[in-house]
Amino acid sequence: MPAGREEEAEDFYGKILGLRRVAKPAHLETRGGCWFERGEVRIHLGVESDFRPARKAHPALMVEDLGALQAVFEKAGIDVLIDQPLPGFDRFYVSDPFGNRLEFLEPSDSYPEA
């Protein structure tokens, strides 16, 4: 993430995605950025002086109720890019405030049960 934009990160990852901002270890706090978590999900945003958003490489997060999450993003004015389903999954992409691509997936009705 770019330097000095932690408040935007808090709005997106905290308020919209519902992740809790957690304190970074003291020796890392001076570097800027911020960390978020919820359950098993951990997202660490570090500051880069020559920041360029990750538009191709991206995390993919498995969610429950993809449609409800899509509505949350749309209500917040965030563009949702629906892509072709992967075998067994519905999915879409959004960009965080810094242009980083995030993918959200949910098993579809055709997902094979174990």
Side-chain angles (χ1 to χ4, degrees):
M1 66 176 282
R5 295 180 61 187
E6 286 80 4
E7 188 172 318
E8 290 173 72
E10 176 76 36
D11 287 344
F12 181 84
Y13 289 95
K15 294 178 183 170
I16 295 171
L17 274 181
L19 302 174
R20 181 174 54 94
R21 186 170 177 178
V22 297
K24 294 172 62 174
H27 70 282
L28 297 177
E29 191 64 41
T30 60
R31 298 180 185 177
C34 40
W35 291 7
F36 298 90
E37 64 182 45
R38 181 174 177 185
E40 295 178 0
V41 174
R42 307 280 187 273
I43 296 179
H44 296 175
L45 301 174
V47 169
E48 291 188 54
S49 59
D50 62 341
F51 175 77
R52 289 178 297 159
R55 292 194 170 109
K56 183 82 173 163
H58 60 275
L61 303 169
M62 188 76 67
V63 301
E64 294 178 13
D65 202 345
L66 192 66
L69 182 58
Q70 179 179 345
V72 167
F73 283 123
E74 290 172 345
K75 183 177 179 184
I78 296 169
D79 292 332
V80 173
L81 174 62
I82 306 223
D83 203 349
Q84 294 178 346
L86 293 174
F89 295 92
D90 294 322
R91 65 188 179 144
F92 64 75
Y93 298 99
V94 300
S95 293
D96 75 2
F98 320 117
N100 296 308
R101 183 181 202 182
L102 302 169
E103 179 178 15
F104 296 92
L105 302 141
E106 179 179 44
S108 67
D109 293 336
S110 63
Y111 185 71
E113 296 295 324

